[in-house]
Amino acid sequence: MRLLDLRLTGFRNYEDACCAFDPGVNLFVGENAQGKTNLLEAICYLSRGAAFRTRKEAELIHFGSEFAALEAHVFSYDREQSLKTVLFAGRRPRQLFLSGVKKPSREALDGVLNTVLFCPEDLMILKKGAADRRKLLDDALCQLRPRYARALEEYRRCAAQKAAVLRDWHDSPRLLDLLPDYDERMAQTGAIVIHTRARYLEQLAARAAVHHAAFTADREQLACVYQTVSTVTDPTAQTAELYDRLREHQESHRQAELAAGQCLSGPHKDDFELSINGRSVKTYGSQGQTRTAAISLKLAERDLFEQDTGEQPVLLLDDVLSELDAGRQDFVINCIRSGQVLITCCETDRLTTAGRTFRVEAGRVAEVEN
Ligand code: ATP
Ligand code: MG
């Protein structure tokens, strides 16, 4: 999958700009507030139909403009297509076009351009709470596996209803009659959730370890373990086995759940732990190590997406270079050789030898000669 070019009219700080991309690495250098992230945001918007920094489309339109137009040519699944979106100030709905044909809904454009985005907020995912790490797995799996998305939705619905019962049963003891049914369905869907996440993480970890070793010239070994309820010793086991273990866990936690008034048993509390050379990244990882491991995970996510869909998503790396040493910066700029990569950075003296370098200045993009 390759982005061929992009034209922006009245989008954020771009009045009218265009850019033709390299099939390999595209490095966008520029000082703060020049439009580097805006450029990636426009690409993401064309890819997913939603902006990653705001829910308000009006914010995407250049100050004082009546509309914003975003257009890109994409080569994917052996053909060239164009994606175009026009956003209007006021209440007029957006217009979507695929290869010049107006489309009534966003779904018609799905899959034409897939992107994997990595922004500064993602860098600390390994240091933050478990919810962010579960989200990383769930976001990827919901796109790739419809059965997983359905099981997760059902699990969440039952968990929310069970939580309400556990909260309110003192006032209405008859609510307790509902618990066996919720437990049964949570064990069934929970088994699918644990099995699918753990299998995916196994593959993700294997790919991420390869990227991380290349990143660090084999000095660091990355490993990853899925953590779930105590009765499950092998989270990659078959779902029938996981179902039995979840039922066991529910049984042993029944009194504690009633006393706590909370849902204590199940994969809604799961996590995964990353280690470098046997030591936990969360506890001992340096800033640079944590960033490197997070980027390796994203590169792995892209590999698995390609394995499933046959096309490699375009990788968008926003501002990931700071806090990386010279060797690791060089890896990002010059050594990610598979597929197309767009990288932004503030280090204005950087050049890539693996593609093209562009300078972004006050909403204008110009290629820098190597
Ligand atoms: P940094 O290196 O600090 O991350 P950047 O080059 O990524 O900077 P962007 O986030 O792309 O910067 O933003 C560039 C500028 O775009 C900002 O100064 C911002 O105020 C401006 N901007 C944002 N929305 C609009 C808009 N709707 N109209 C005009 N300008 C806007
Ligand atoms: Mg930025």
Short mmCIF file of all heavy atoms in Angstrom, two decimals, residues 294-324:
data_model
loop_
_atom_site.label_atom_id
_atom_site.label_comp_id
_atom_site.label_asym_id
_atom_site.label_seq_id
_atom_site.Cartn_x
_atom_site.Cartn_y
_atom_site.Cartn_z
N ALA A 294 8.33 0.65 22.32
CA ALA A 294 7.00 1.03 21.82
C ALA A 294 7.01 1.11 20.29
O ALA A 294 6.05 0.67 19.63
CB ALA A 294 6.58 2.36 22.43
N ILE A 295 8.07 1.66 19.71
CA ILE A 295 8.15 1.74 18.23
C ILE A 295 8.24 0.32 17.65
O ILE A 295 7.60 0.01 16.65
CB ILE A 295 9.35 2.60 17.78
CG1 ILE A 295 9.17 4.05 18.24
CG2 ILE A 295 9.50 2.57 16.26
CD1 ILE A 295 10.38 4.93 18.05
N SER A 296 9.02 -0.54 18.30
CA SER A 296 9.14 -1.93 17.81
C SER A 296 7.77 -2.62 17.81
O SER A 296 7.45 -3.37 16.90
CB SER A 296 10.10 -2.74 18.70
OG SER A 296 11.38 -2.16 18.66
N LEU A 297 6.97 -2.34 18.84
CA LEU A 297 5.61 -2.92 18.90
C LEU A 297 4.76 -2.44 17.73
O LEU A 297 4.00 -3.19 17.13
CB LEU A 297 4.92 -2.53 20.19
CG LEU A 297 5.11 -3.41 21.42
CD1 LEU A 297 4.27 -2.86 22.57
CD2 LEU A 297 4.71 -4.86 21.16
N LYS A 298 4.87 -1.14 17.41
CA LYS A 298 4.09 -0.58 16.28
C LYS A 298 4.54 -1.18 14.96
O LYS A 298 3.72 -1.45 14.08
CB LYS A 298 4.24 0.95 16.24
CG LYS A 298 3.33 1.66 17.19
CD LYS A 298 1.89 1.70 16.66
CE LYS A 298 0.94 2.13 17.77
NZ LYS A 298 -0.44 2.27 17.33
N LEU A 299 5.86 -1.36 14.81
CA LEU A 299 6.36 -1.98 13.57
C LEU A 299 5.81 -3.41 13.45
O LEU A 299 5.43 -3.86 12.38
CB LEU A 299 7.89 -2.00 13.55
CG LEU A 299 8.57 -0.64 13.41
CD1 LEU A 299 10.08 -0.77 13.61
CD2 LEU A 299 8.30 -0.05 12.03
N ALA A 300 5.74 -4.09 14.60
CA ALA A 300 5.22 -5.46 14.61
C ALA A 300 3.73 -5.47 14.27
O ALA A 300 3.25 -6.33 13.54
CB ALA A 300 5.45 -6.09 15.98
N GLU A 301 3.01 -4.47 14.79
CA GLU A 301 1.58 -4.37 14.50
C GLU A 301 1.36 -4.24 12.99
O GLU A 301 0.46 -4.85 12.42
CB GLU A 301 1.03 -3.14 15.23
CG GLU A 301 -0.47 -2.97 15.11
CD GLU A 301 -0.94 -1.67 15.76
OE1 GLU A 301 -0.39 -1.26 16.80
OE2 GLU A 301 -1.85 -1.05 15.20
N ARG A 302 2.24 -3.47 12.35
CA ARG A 302 2.12 -3.30 10.91
C ARG A 302 2.40 -4.61 10.17
O ARG A 302 1.72 -4.96 9.22
CB ARG A 302 3.08 -2.20 10.44
CG ARG A 302 2.84 -1.80 9.00
CD ARG A 302 3.57 -0.55 8.65
NE ARG A 302 4.99 -0.75 8.51
CZ ARG A 302 5.72 -0.25 7.53
NH1 ARG A 302 5.16 0.47 6.59
NH2 ARG A 302 7.00 -0.47 7.47
N ASP A 303 3.39 -5.37 10.65
CA ASP A 303 3.70 -6.67 10.02
C ASP A 303 2.49 -7.60 10.08
O ASP A 303 2.16 -8.27 9.11
CB ASP A 303 4.85 -7.37 10.75
CG ASP A 303 6.17 -6.63 10.59
OD1 ASP A 303 6.26 -5.77 9.70
OD2 ASP A 303 7.10 -6.92 11.37
N LEU A 304 1.84 -7.64 11.25
CA LEU A 304 0.71 -8.57 11.42
C LEU A 304 -0.50 -8.12 10.60
O LEU A 304 -1.25 -8.95 10.10
CB LEU A 304 0.33 -8.70 12.90
CG LEU A 304 1.40 -9.30 13.81
CD1 LEU A 304 0.82 -9.62 15.17
CD2 LEU A 304 2.02 -10.56 13.23
N PHE A 305 -0.65 -6.82 10.46
CA PHE A 305 -1.73 -6.29 9.63
C PHE A 305 -1.51 -6.75 8.19
O PHE A 305 -2.44 -7.19 7.51
CB PHE A 305 -1.75 -4.76 9.72
CG PHE A 305 -3.07 -4.16 9.37
CD1 PHE A 305 -4.00 -3.89 10.36
CD2 PHE A 305 -3.43 -3.88 8.06
CE1 PHE A 305 -5.23 -3.34 10.06
CE2 PHE A 305 -4.65 -3.33 7.74
CZ PHE A 305 -5.56 -3.05 8.75
N GLU A 306 -0.26 -6.67 7.75
CA GLU A 306 0.06 -7.10 6.39
C GLU A 306 -0.20 -8.60 6.21
O GLU A 306 -0.76 -9.04 5.21
CB GLU A 306 1.52 -6.78 6.06
CG GLU A 306 1.88 -7.19 4.64
CD GLU A 306 3.35 -7.03 4.32
OE1 GLU A 306 4.14 -6.84 5.27
OE2 GLU A 306 3.70 -7.11 3.14
N GLN A 307 0.20 -9.37 7.21
CA GLN A 307 0.00 -10.83 7.18
C GLN A 307 -1.48 -11.17 6.99
O GLN A 307 -1.83 -12.08 6.27
CB GLN A 307 0.48 -11.38 8.50
CG GLN A 307 0.83 -12.85 8.52
CD GLN A 307 1.44 -13.19 9.86
OE1 GLN A 307 2.50 -12.69 10.23
NE2 GLN A 307 0.75 -14.01 10.61
N ASP A 308 -2.35 -10.39 7.61
CA ASP A 308 -3.78 -10.67 7.56
C ASP A 308 -4.46 -10.13 6.31
O ASP A 308 -5.40 -10.74 5.82
CB ASP A 308 -4.47 -10.05 8.78
CG ASP A 308 -4.83 -11.10 9.80
OD1 ASP A 308 -3.88 -11.69 10.34
OD2 ASP A 308 -6.03 -11.34 10.00
N THR A 309 -4.02 -8.96 5.84
CA THR A 309 -4.77 -8.30 4.76
C THR A 309 -4.03 -8.36 3.43
O THR A 309 -4.60 -8.02 2.40
CB THR A 309 -5.01 -6.81 5.10
OG1 THR A 309 -3.74 -6.16 5.17
CG2 THR A 309 -5.73 -6.64 6.42
N GLY A 310 -2.75 -8.74 3.43
CA GLY A 310 -1.99 -8.80 2.19
C GLY A 310 -1.39 -7.47 1.77
O GLY A 310 -0.68 -7.39 0.78
N GLU A 311 -1.70 -6.40 2.50
CA GLU A 311 -1.13 -5.08 2.15
C GLU A 311 -0.52 -4.47 3.40
O GLU A 311 -1.10 -4.54 4.50
CB GLU A 311 -2.24 -4.14 1.64
CG GLU A 311 -2.77 -4.49 0.27
CD GLU A 311 -1.93 -3.95 -0.87
OE1 GLU A 311 -1.25 -2.91 -0.69
OE2 GLU A 311 -1.96 -4.56 -1.95
N GLN A 312 0.63 -3.83 3.22
CA GLN A 312 1.30 -3.22 4.37
C GLN A 312 0.79 -1.79 4.58
O GLN A 312 0.88 -0.97 3.67
CB GLN A 312 2.80 -3.19 4.08
CG GLN A 312 3.61 -2.90 5.30
CD GLN A 312 5.06 -3.23 5.08
OE1 GLN A 312 5.59 -3.05 3.99
NE2 GLN A 312 5.71 -3.73 6.09
N PRO A 313 0.25 -1.49 5.75
CA PRO A 313 -0.23 -0.12 5.97
C PRO A 313 0.91 0.89 5.92
O PRO A 313 2.06 0.55 6.18
CB PRO A 313 -0.80 -0.16 7.39
CG PRO A 313 -0.91 -1.57 7.77
CD PRO A 313 0.08 -2.34 6.95
N VAL A 314 0.56 2.13 5.59
CA VAL A 314 1.55 3.21 5.60
C VAL A 314 1.81 3.56 7.08
O VAL A 314 0.88 3.71 7.86
CB VAL A 314 1.01 4.44 4.84
CG1 VAL A 314 1.98 5.61 4.93
CG2 VAL A 314 0.73 4.07 3.39
N LEU A 315 3.09 3.66 7.42
CA LEU A 315 3.45 3.93 8.82
C LEU A 315 3.68 5.43 9.01
O LEU A 315 4.44 6.05 8.25
CB LEU A 315 4.73 3.16 9.16
CG LEU A 315 5.25 3.25 10.58
CD1 LEU A 315 4.26 2.66 11.57
CD2 LEU A 315 6.59 2.51 10.70
N LEU A 316 3.00 6.01 9.98
CA LEU A 316 3.11 7.44 10.25
C LEU A 316 3.75 7.62 11.63
O LEU A 316 3.17 7.22 12.64
CB LEU A 316 1.72 8.11 10.24
CG LEU A 316 0.85 7.84 9.01
CD1 LEU A 316 -0.55 8.43 9.21
CD2 LEU A 316 1.49 8.42 7.75
N LEU A 317 4.94 8.17 11.67
CA LEU A 317 5.65 8.36 12.94
C LEU A 317 5.77 9.85 13.23
O LEU A 317 6.52 10.56 12.55
CB LEU A 317 7.05 7.74 12.86
CG LEU A 317 7.14 6.24 12.59
CD1 LEU A 317 8.60 5.80 12.44
CD2 LEU A 317 6.48 5.44 13.71
N ASP A 318 5.02 10.32 14.21
CA ASP A 318 5.04 11.75 14.51
C ASP A 318 5.97 12.03 15.68
O ASP A 318 5.72 11.56 16.80
CB ASP A 318 3.61 12.23 14.84
CG ASP A 318 3.54 13.74 14.93
OD1 ASP A 318 4.39 14.43 14.30
OD2 ASP A 318 2.65 14.25 15.64
N ASP A 319 7.06 12.75 15.39
CA ASP A 319 7.89 13.27 16.46
C ASP A 319 8.43 12.20 17.41
O ASP A 319 8.33 12.34 18.62
CB ASP A 319 7.00 14.24 17.28
CG ASP A 319 7.78 15.43 17.79
OD1 ASP A 319 8.99 15.49 17.52
OD2 ASP A 319 7.17 16.28 18.45
N VAL A 320 8.98 11.14 16.87
CA VAL A 320 9.42 10.05 17.75
C VAL A 320 10.93 10.09 18.03
O VAL A 320 11.43 9.28 18.79
CB VAL A 320 9.08 8.65 17.17
CG1 VAL A 320 7.59 8.48 17.01
CG2 VAL A 320 9.79 8.40 15.86
N LEU A 321 11.66 11.03 17.41
CA LEU A 321 13.12 10.95 17.51
C LEU A 321 13.71 11.45 18.83
O LEU A 321 14.75 10.96 19.27
CB LEU A 321 13.77 11.74 16.36
CG LEU A 321 13.52 11.23 14.95
CD1 LEU A 321 14.40 11.98 13.97
CD2 LEU A 321 13.76 9.74 14.83
N SER A 322 13.02 12.44 19.47
CA SER A 322 13.63 13.00 20.66
C SER A 322 13.80 11.92 21.73
O SER A 322 12.98 11.00 21.82
CB SER A 322 12.82 14.17 21.20
OG SER A 322 11.48 13.79 21.28
N GLU A 323 14.83 12.02 22.49
CA GLU A 323 15.20 11.05 23.54
C GLU A 323 15.80 9.75 22.99
O GLU A 323 16.09 8.84 23.74
CB GLU A 323 14.04 10.73 24.48
CG GLU A 323 13.72 11.90 25.38
CD GLU A 323 12.52 11.65 26.28
OE1 GLU A 323 11.92 10.58 26.19
OE2 GLU A 323 12.21 12.55 27.08
N LEU A 324 15.94 9.66 21.66
CA LEU A 324 16.66 8.50 21.12
C LEU A 324 18.10 8.92 20.84
O LEU A 324 18.35 10.04 20.38
CB LEU A 324 16.01 8.02 19.81
CG LEU A 324 14.59 7.46 19.90
CD1 LEU A 324 14.13 6.98 18.53
CD2 LEU A 324 14.49 6.33 20.91
#
